[in-house]
Amino acid sequence: MQSANMLLRKIIRSSVLSLAAQHGMKKDLFPLSRTLSLSLCLKQDKSCEPSEKLDLDEWKKVMKSGLQEEVSETVSEPKELSSLAAARETLEMWRLAGRAVPENISEEQLKAFMECPSKSAKKKYLRYLHLRELHKKNDKRKMNEKRERRLEAQDQASKTDETKKSPFVCLWSSTMDKAYNWRAAQSMIFGQPLVFDMSYEKEMSVREVTNTVRQIVMSESCNRRSVDPFHIHFCNFKDDSLYHREFIKHYKEAWGKLLITVTDQCYTEIFPKDKLIYLTADSPKVMKTFDHDKIYIVGSMVDKSIKTGVSLAQAKRLGLETAALPLEKYLLWSTGAKNLTLDQMMHILLTLKDTADWKKALEFVPKRKYCGFVNKPVKELKKTLDLINTLKLGKGREEVEKQFAKNYPKKYKLK
Amino acid sequence: VQPPEKPLQAEEWNKLREDFQLPEIFEEVMLNSMIRCNSPIDVAKSLLTHVAKRNGDIAYNVLVKYLTLCVQQGQVSEILDVYDIMKVRFKILESGAYNLLVRGLSNSDQWRMALTILDEVKKIMIPSRTCYESCIKAASRHQEMKLACELYNEMLAKDVVPTLDVLQSFFDFSRGMKGAELQKELFGILLYLRENQIYPHKTFMRSIKLWFESLPGGNWRGHLTNIKDSGQCPVCNHQLEDSKLTEEEYSNLSERIIRDVIHGTDTFRKTSPKEFEAFQTFVENRLPFDIVIDGLNVAHIKSRRMQCENLFDAVNCLAKENARLLVLGRKHMLTNSANWKREIMKEMQNKADFFFAENISEDDAFLLYATLRSGKHCRFVTRDFLRDHKACLSDSLTRHLFRKWQRGHQIVLKKKSFPSVFSQQPAFRYDCVVQTTGDTWHIPYKDVFEEKYSYQVPRKWLCIQQKL
């Protein structure tokens, strides 16, 4: 009985829809057209018949016939595949099924893919390759467009043919380089040391090491461009380590000419222990001011899996003083981990060194991580927060309270 | 997109396609909506015919979508046709298509075909668990229990985790069947539940009960019951297994906790070697304790009161029965402050042993160590679930062991009644797993709609006994 009802309902619905479509009407006619549509449906059933002459299985014939030649080939060829070829084949099928898979994959990447320990690891790796491929393609396209535009511009310029007069020879970038290098060289003699601790290689995956090196390269370049650069030390740096290979990949022959100190010694062997301060987000101590006589250490580590306390452990082991940036004191933190990237650290430290202005320095913390600056002492903030809470009335309040209590333990409690 | 009600001619499809915003993916979108609306298969066929005529070929993903529709409607002959076409066209298929083929065919008379496809999949990859699931269900539906058991064991050997559904189907379909071999397999499944600490849900439990009662000549009777706190089954008066760990399990667990949780990759991350050594000598000199208290956790139990008062109440309460107490804390508790009054701390130190760790050390690791070193009778007090420490253990077996030990030894203070009537959630005396003595089985189960957190254990049991 029920199924009969269902069937009836289905029929009604379908016919009404087609009716509505014919007359461009909306579905709200439904209750009115009930009896009408039933009879209409019977009619339609007959009207279906003419289309029956349409050969519904024709696609199968097409699919089979078009492949006759290929069939003979595949039959003759032995079916055994090597594991690499099989993997390549599987990838191809995934691509056809519309999954996020790169179009081209090198032998090396294929091996890395096969070594992934789990299904999800494989998926992630392929997705990463796929996205990288897309980015590369996009970049190439943009470059080509740019080149075309430049050529066009040149064409036009040659038509007008204007001669420019300028008192300087146009050599901007190389002159700037020289100036920067001069400053960096000075910093090697007189500058305040800044240590990158390169002892975390075994804590990281290959991709994390790659990311670390990229961040350090960015830090180095922004240091070189600053007014008063640090004297950068890479300590605990092992020759022929993964770090080393990645650096050479980035810098190529410039690696030997960098104006920084690279050593396999530990910072404790180079500098007096009481001058060293290890910067780590896990530190219980909060940095108040930037001290120009101290030597700050930054751990060269990208930590994608959650490994809290690794750099704090290192500092503890060596008995060094530690410090964390006063993020909570100056920023109303919202989301994200408190560990920052190395280049952000570099920007912050450089700004502190030049200006001693925390607000200016902490501008380099990514905007998504905080709601705004704490411009008043926490006590005064209470009023505003209370106002927000009363406005929000109840529901979100607990959430705000929790968030706040987490960020500002003990100091202040909402009523 | 609303799929049409009846097959369309090529021109009509063309028109629809041109009206669509993105003509390249028109077929995909259309087939997706057909799957959603469960449209008649003829409509889809007419679309495929249109595509084949226009392009001379049909893309793989479109074929898979069509296959999905066929499987959804149980169109066996169509599934076979699509399979033939795919086999000729592509060297191998990917897991999505294989899953569909196996699922579609296993529900039909052609279910043996599904098995051959499964064999084919095995050549290329490890079949997914849905593949195995469909095949096992099909085999047991056709009373081929031996085959089903073979597939099941193969699945376990490949580390593919079976769903509860598959396990249940074994009990459903072998009801009333005779055979010592089969009975052994099914007992094996119950032991699998035991080893992996899986609790069946209500309908699964019912299947188990019915299977037992249907065993010819077995005289098994099942009853639903709640186990008393003492661990005695009210139906058969049988005492359930103790929650205590065996000597071997116990020493194994303490070894692993010291190695993985306290030291880990780097002792400095949670403590320091010097501090840990100091703690070790401290504990060894005063062993054994009866109760180890996580001082800071207990101190925060009531936020309105002074933290040391909270701790004071707890210590007073637990000290009554002449128990030897150890309170773990951090050094900052010793500095006289608003929350930590020196006099109260002094008074407490007369009643219990105290160990103060560095402010940046993790006291939980010490808690575990002191409790384990004191022996099996020792319990610990904290509201913490200790999940992060459990996560440090490297294999699931030890993690289960940890859970079991935690259930038996952790005392959780209840906030409400504290401090007037100091009630504590009883540590479980009995072990909450599937268990047997040969002529009885006790199986904990959960209600289907009951929300169960991983730290909770079901309170409802199925008691099965054999009347000889």
Side-chain angles (χ1 to χ4, degrees):
Chain A
M1 184 62 201
Q2 216 178 3
S3 59
N5 263 341
M6 284 282 278
L7 192 70
L8 202 62
R9 217 175 294 155
K10 231 185 224 169
I11 293 168
I12 291 168
R13 200 188 300 144
S14 57
S15 51
V16 164
L17 279 178
S18 58
L19 182 83
Q22 274 167 21
H23 298 275
M25 284 187 285
K26 293 268 159 63
K27 279 186 213 168
D28 40 355
L29 284 177
F30 182 57
L32 294 176
S33 57
R34 181 164 292 183
T35 44
L36 177 88
S37 58
L38 260 177
S39 58
L40 192 99
C41 137
L42 291 175
K43 259 188 242 162
Q44 268 199 346
D45 263 3
K46 273 170 206 155
S47 73
C48 270
E49 258 145 47
S51 70
E52 213 101 303
K53 66 189 169 192
L54 193 114
D55 183 6
L56 291 172
D57 287 332
E58 203 178 331
W59 62 276
K60 292 180 190 164
K61 284 177 213 154
V62 173
M63 287 300 280
K64 282 174 185 164
S65 69
L67 294 153
Q68 222 57 61
E69 319 85 84
E70 282 181 49
V71 174
S72 50
E73 271 173 48
T74 46
V75 168
S76 62
E77 140 192 7
K79 258 208 159 178
E80 288 300 304
L81 288 166
S82 75
S83 61
L84 264 180
R88 204 174 272 278
E89 202 76 16
T90 324
L91 282 189
E92 177 62 16
M93 290 318 286
W94 282 356
R95 203 175 62 76
L96 287 178
R99 293 215 220 171
V101 166
E103 262 176 55
N104 304 308
I105 188 163
S106 70
E107 199 94 323
E108 206 176 318
Q109 287 167 338
L110 204 61
K111 269 180 196 149
F113 160 74
M114 279 162 66
E115 274 159 20
C116 287
S118 66
K119 263 187 194 171
S120 61
K122 280 182 184 170
K123 242 186 234 171
K124 264 186 207 162
Y125 182 63
L126 288 178
R127 203 183 144 69
Y128 159 72
L129 289 180
H130 174 69
L131 287 179
R132 217 174 61 166
E133 198 175 50
L134 280 184
H135 280 304
K136 268 193 184 160
K137 254 189 212 162
N138 254 340
D139 288 348
K140 213 170 192 181
R141 206 201 61 227
K142 273 181 199 160
M143 260 206 341
N144 282 339
E145 278 171 15
K146 211 174 165 185
R147 186 186 299 145
E148 265 163 42
R149 250 180 286 139
R150 203 177 49 214
L151 285 177
E152 255 174 51
Q154 261 178 12
D155 273 355
Q156 278 181 357
S158 61
K159 270 175 207 162
T160 49
D161 203 13
E162 243 176 63
T163 44
K164 289 175 200 154
K165 277 179 192 169
S166 162
F168 300 116
V169 186
C170 196
L171 271 176
W172 277 108
S173 64
S174 66
T175 5
M176 287 312 280
D177 274 348
K178 256 181 211 155
Y180 290 144
N181 280 338
W182 176 246
R183 266 193 219 146
Q186 273 190 318
S187 85
M188 295 263 306
I189 308 168
F190 305 113
Q192 181 178 5
L194 178 76
V195 178
F196 282 96
D197 180 5
M198 315 292 265
S199 57
Y200 297 107
E201 194 177 299
K202 55 180 185 304
E203 309 277 352
M204 291 187 279
S205 67
V206 178
R207 250 171 86 191
E208 283 170 334
V209 174
T210 328
N211 289 350
T212 309
V213 168
R214 188 172 304 159
Q215 288 179 14
I216 293 178
V217 169
M218 289 206 284
S219 319
E220 191 272 329
S221 84
C222 89
N223 180 57
R224 196 173 352 132
R225 275 152 226 265
S226 70
V227 188
D228 180 17
F230 283 107
H231 175 192
I232 296 182
H233 286 72
F234 289 173
C235 288
N236 293 324
F237 189 92
K238 303 271 174 305
D239 269 342
D240 215 35
S241 57
L242 197 51
Y243 277 126
H244 192 183
R245 270 172 275 154
E246 283 294 326
F247 271 121
I248 288 177
K249 232 187 241 174
H250 269 281
Y251 280 115
K252 309 232 163 57
E253 57 273 24
W255 170 246
K257 294 180 209 155
L258 280 183
L259 293 170
I260 54 174
T261 304
V262 180
T263 166
D264 60 346
Q265 279 180 306
C266 186
Y267 27 85
T268 46
E269 294 164 34
I270 307 174
F271 303 107
K273 248 188 187 181
D274 56 320
K275 289 234 163 174
L276 292 169
I277 295 183
Y278 210 114
L279 293 175
T280 162
D282 296 320
S283 170
K285 275 184 210 131
V286 172
M287 196 169 153
K288 287 211 175 68
T289 49
F290 181 87
D291 193 335
H292 295 268
D293 290 331
K294 296 280 187 198
I295 294 145
Y296 290 97
I297 307 167
V298 180
S300 311
M301 178 176 176
V302 168
D303 178 18
K304 282 193 175 158
S305 56
I306 318 140
K307 288 182 200 132
T308 38
V310 175
S311 51
L312 186 64
Q314 172 86 344
K316 252 160 107 185
R317 183 178 5 255
L318 298 167
L320 299 178
E321 207 181 314
T322 60
L325 292 181
L327 296 175
E328 250 136 47
K329 194 177 159 198
Y330 291 95
L331 302 173
L332 209 53
W333 202 261
S334 68
T335 52
K338 302 236 165 63
N339 48 2
L340 303 174
T341 61
L342 300 170
D343 50 313
Q344 284 159 10
M345 259 336 250
M346 185 56 120
H347 275 294
I348 290 171
L349 290 176
L350 279 171
T351 320
L352 281 178
K353 189 156 91 107
D354 292 345
T355 62
D357 182 349
W358 278 107
K359 225 181 133 181
K360 218 168 163 187
L362 294 180
E363 288 281 348
F364 290 103
V365 177
K367 296 274 181 293
R368 64 171 189 282
K369 286 193 176 183
Y370 62 92
C371 312
F373 277 89
V374 181
N375 39 8
K376 301 167 207 163
V378 179
K379 255 184 206 165
E380 279 176 47
L381 235 137
K382 179 186 169 182
K383 280 179 206 159
T384 7
L385 262 168
D386 273 351
L387 193 68
I388 294 169
N389 286 343
T390 42
L391 285 177
K392 278 188 181 168
L393 270 183
K395 218 183 172 189
R397 181 179 171 144
E398 239 170 279
E399 210 37 54
V400 176
E401 233 172 282
K402 256 190 219 158
Q403 191 66 35
F404 195 74
K406 211 170 80 192
N407 287 343
Y408 300 92
K410 282 177 219 161
K411 273 188 220 152
Y412 162 69
K413 211 167 260 164
L414 290 173
K415 259 190 274 174
Chain B
V1 204
Q2 189 72 31
E5 295 303 324
K6 54 187 179 64
L8 299 185
Q9 298 288 350
E11 307 87 66
E12 291 169 294
W13 280 122
N14 254 335
K15 192 171 176 311
L16 275 179
R17 189 172 189 266
E18 273 153 27
D19 290 345
F20 192 68
Q21 303 141 322
L22 293 162
E24 309 88 65
I25 56 163
F26 171 74
E27 288 85 24
E28 258 180 89
V29 174
M30 184 51 90
L31 275 166
N32 271 344
S33 71
M34 281 182 198
I35 292 165
R36 206 172 44 244
C37 308
N38 206 7
S39 305
I41 199 122
D42 285 348
V43 183
K45 276 186 185 176
S46 77
L47 176 60
L48 288 193
T49 306
H50 160 66
V51 174
K53 270 189 191 160
R54 203 187 57 226
N55 301 343
D57 190 19
I58 297 170
Y60 178 74
N61 57 350
V62 174
L63 275 180
V64 173
K65 293 256 154 68
Y66 175 67
L67 186 62
T68 315
L69 191 65
C70 295
V71 170
Q72 193 171 302
Q73 301 181 357
Q75 307 271 3
V76 183
S77 63
E78 276 307 304
I79 296 173
L80 287 172
D81 278 352
V82 175
Y83 178 53
D84 283 338
I85 288 172
M86 279 183 166
K87 212 166 47 175
V88 175
R89 182 75 180 72
F90 307 102
K91 247 186 234 163
I92 57 169
L93 307 183
E94 45 81 54
S95 49
Y98 280 131
N99 281 349
L100 283 169
L101 286 169
V102 170
R103 184 144 59 95
L105 293 173
S106 65
N107 285 326
S108 69
D109 325 331
Q110 299 279 344
W111 64 277
R112 281 189 190 278
M113 186 73 191
L115 293 179
T116 52
I117 294 180
L118 183 72
D119 282 332
E120 209 169 296
V121 180
K122 276 185 231 162
K123 279 183 208 154
I124 316 164
M125 53 185 134
I126 294 174
S128 67
R129 75 184 201 174
T130 50
C131 269
Y132 273 117
E133 191 174 333
S134 322
C135 288
I136 290 174
K137 273 191 182 163
S140 46
R141 200 180 302 118
H142 294 87
Q143 305 289 312
E144 297 244 7
M145 297 317 289
K146 205 174 163 203
L147 179 63
C149 290
E150 262 168 35
L151 285 172
Y152 168 70
N153 288 324
E154 186 183 305
M155 181 175 184
L156 290 187
K158 284 184 179 162
D159 273 338
V160 183
V161 181
T163 54
L164 285 187
D165 243 21
V166 170
L167 302 183
Q168 191 184 345
S169 78
F170 274 105
F171 287 94
D172 280 338
F173 290 115
S174 44
R175 200 174 295 162
M177 278 168 98
K178 222 174 169 159
E181 217 28 51
L182 178 63
Q183 205 166 318
K184 217 174 114 195
E185 279 294 339
L186 292 189
F187 284 155
I189 291 177
L190 289 175
L191 292 178
Y192 174 82
L193 295 182
R194 174 192 168 86
E195 268 148 37
N196 294 290
Q197 316 214 355
I198 301 167
Y199 308 115
H201 47 76
K202 209 169 185 175
T203 48
F204 187 4
M205 178 275 297
R206 214 164 272 143
S207 302
I208 297 175
K209 182 168 177 278
L210 288 175
W211 176 74
F212 267 106
E213 288 172 346
S214 78
L215 277 177
N219 267 334
W220 291 93
R221 280 288 150 267
H223 296 277
L224 306 188
T225 179
N226 291 312
I227 302 290
K228 294 176 198 162
D229 279 343
S230 64
Q232 200 180 34
C233 170
V235 181
C236 61
N237 291 327
H238 172 71
Q239 184 70 33
L240 291 193
E241 271 175 52
D242 213 295
S243 66
K244 279 178 192 145
L245 277 62
T246 64
E247 281 305 328
E248 198 194 333
E249 285 176 327
Y250 199 83
S251 63
N252 219 333
L253 181 66
S254 32
E255 217 171 89
R256 293 298 292 277
I257 283 187
I258 292 171
R259 200 186 76 198
D260 292 348
V261 179
I262 297 174
H263 293 305
T265 50
D266 187 354
T267 316
F268 282 97
R269 272 170 76 171
K270 284 188 176 157
T271 166
S272 68
K274 206 172 138 202
E275 189 182 34
F276 185 62
E277 215 170 277
F279 178 69
Q280 265 180 320
T281 43
F282 172 87
V283 169
E284 298 301 328
N285 288 337
R286 288 171 177 75
L287 277 177
F289 299 103
D290 296 317
I291 297 174
V292 182
I293 303 169
D294 182 348
L296 280 170
N297 189 288
V298 170
H300 283 91
I301 202 162
K302 278 202 163 181
S303 53
R304 303 258 161 138
R305 305 185 73 220
M306 218 193 291
Q307 285 169 11
C308 64
E309 277 184 342
N310 277 332
L311 184 59
F312 188 64
D313 286 333
V315 169
N316 268 345
C317 228
L318 294 164
K320 265 176 203 157
E321 294 136 31
N322 230 350
R324 281 181 55 78
L325 303 183
L326 168 64
V327 181
L328 294 169
R330 294 215 181 100
K331 288 217 167 118
H332 71 78
M333 292 157 73
L334 286 172
T335 49
N336 203 14
S337 65
N339 265 319
W340 298 100
K341 291 276 172 259
R342 192 164 282 156
E343 309 86 66
I344 301 180
M345 289 300 289
K346 278 254 168 66
E347 209 176 325
M348 269 193 281
Q349 272 164 300
N350 292 330
K351 293 185 177 178
D353 280 313
F354 273 74
F355 183 84
F356 297 99
E358 290 295 331
N359 291 340
I360 52 171
S361 294
E362 277 200 40
D363 48 0
D364 289 348
F366 294 148
L367 178 83
L368 295 176
Y369 178 78
T371 316
L372 281 166
R373 276 299 294 148
S374 296
K376 283 183 185 176
H377 73 287
C378 181
R379 291 178 295 169
F380 62 96
V381 184
T382 178
R383 279 187 304 161
D384 198 305
F385 291 121
L386 304 173
R387 290 192 190 104
D388 43 345
H389 304 291
K390 188 181 66 131
C392 291
L393 296 167
S394 47
D395 64 312
S396 64
L397 202 74
T398 325
R399 263 181 253 155
H400 280 315
L401 223 55
F402 182 79
R403 257 286 144 70
K404 186 177 164 186
W405 174 76
Q406 188 187 3
R407 268 205 299 272
H409 293 81
Q410 181 166 15
I411 303 172
V412 180
L413 301 178
K414 282 200 181 133
K415 203 171 183 177
K416 267 184 204 150
S417 40
F418 184 74
S420 49
V421 193
F422 178 67
S423 92
Q424 54 201 49
Q425 185 191 310
F428 274 97
R429 297 238 190 107
Y430 56 94
D431 192 13
C432 198
V433 287
V434 176
Q435 44 193 280
T436 179
T437 57
D439 57 352
T440 61
W441 280 89
H442 285 91
I443 299 165
Y445 70 92
K446 53 187 183 193
D447 285 327
V448 180
F449 298 111
E450 180 186 24
E451 207 180 323
K452 200 182 83 64
Y453 297 101
S454 60
Y455 59 86
Q456 285 177 333
V457 286
R459 309 303 292 261
K460 293 181 175 172
W461 288 71
L462 167 67
C463 161
I464 300 171
Q465 47 179 330
Q466 196 170 25
K467 291 262 163 61
L468 294 171

